[in-house]
Amino acid sequence: MRVYAHRGASKQAPENTLKAFNLAFEIGADGIEFDTYQHNDGIIVFHDRTLIRRANTQGYLLSESWDKLRTLDIGDGEQIPTLSETLNTIPRGKWCNIEIKHLVDVALWVNDVKTALAQSQVLEENVLVSSFNHHWLRDIAALWPEVKIGALSASYELDCTASARALCAYSVNIALDAVDKSFVERVLAEGFNVYVYTVDEPEDMRMLEKWGVTGIFTNVPDKALSVLHP
Ligand code: G3P
Ligand code: CA
């Protein structure tokens, strides 16, 4: 079962920062998950629509210029990273999950991600693109059929592989609160991978591994690795 550091090693370092991503790979994580916004000045890595929680200042992320955003301290003196900077923390052969929180221009997004990838060591086959907005995923898949798509969901739908089938997805990425054994069995039986977020407790890690889950997103990759690979 692959261990992805959720927003980087976000228990030990500020989430979605280069420090958290570098630490994740020092710990030995298989990959990192991070959140992205398509800003006027390029793709940037951040979780919230607003700045208050991470930067202790009022305002919306997308209302501010990149020059202003770049001056903000989002913990331990870390700055908001670009997609390109983030991809450059990933060693060759390791994985990443680019979660999309905001997207306006799909063609520009695909072009920007491909350009950033080409300037990094990350292999295209190790990239998983996910979002709660499956319309964006459908449009991305149409322009970039080679990229792996993760149909992200917070609920166990009655037809739990409908989106994955429609998107020709690689995986269904499901909330820990919604997942059970039957969900995992059904999704795997239809040939899709299963990723679960956010898994920080050893008991849950062992249970998901037993069920055959493909990967977990965890804020504590150090703990996950010691539980799963003692
Ligand atoms: O991609 C899994 C998970 O990160 C989705 O929820 O709110 O932590 O971005 P959130
Ligand atoms: Ca996320």
Side-chain angles (χ1 to χ4, degrees), residues 6 33 35 99 101:
H6 183 244
E33 182 269 358
D35 306 288
E99 188 194 330
K101 295 293 191 195

Side-chain angles (χ1 to χ4, degrees), residues 1-4 193-197 199 208 212-217:
M1 189 166 73
R2 291 182 198 128
V3 173
Y4 282 61
N193 294 281
V194 180
Y195 284 82
V196 181
Y197 69 93
V199 186
L208 295 169
V213 161
T214 316
I216 55 167
F217 302 112

Side-chain angles (χ1 to χ4, degrees), residues 58-192:
Q58 296 295 332
Y60 282 88
L61 181 79
L62 293 173
S63 304
E64 305 295 343
S65 69
W66 174 238
D67 285 346
K68 161 82 188 298
L69 292 173
R70 193 61 157 176
T71 65
L72 299 175
D73 179 345
I74 56 167
D76 294 359
E78 290 291 304
Q79 299 171 317
I80 296 173
T82 64
L83 173 70
S84 188
E85 289 169 332
T86 300
L87 293 179
N88 275 304
T89 67
I90 304 174
R92 196 171 183 79
K94 295 286 186 174
W95 293 74
C96 71
N97 178 191
I98 304 174
E99 188 194 330
I100 306 169
K101 295 293 191 195
H102 181 78
L103 176 57
V104 179
D105 184 331
V106 178
L108 179 64
W109 188 92
V110 169
N111 184 64
D112 284 356
V113 175
K114 284 186 172 183
T115 301
L117 271 179
Q119 292 164 356
S120 77
Q121 295 196 79
V122 183
L123 302 171
E124 184 183 65
E125 67 206 49
N126 290 350
V127 176
L128 179 64
V129 175
S130 70
S131 180
F132 288 111
N133 186 325
H134 295 183
H135 300 264
W136 294 340
L137 298 178
R138 179 197 56 201
D139 295 347
I140 289 167
L143 288 179
W144 191 7
E146 301 82 17
V147 79
K148 291 183 168 68
I149 298 289
L152 180 56
S153 176
S155 65
Y156 185 168
E157 304 285 344
L158 293 175
D159 183 351
C160 62
T161 55
S163 273
R165 293 195 308 273
L167 294 166
C168 295
Y170 172 79
S171 63
V172 179
N173 298 10
I174 184 80
L176 177 60
D177 288 341
V179 76
D180 67 11
K181 192 161 181 271
S182 72
F183 177 93
V184 176
E185 284 171 353
R186 287 173 67 180
V187 175
L188 292 177
E190 291 194 42
F192 302 106

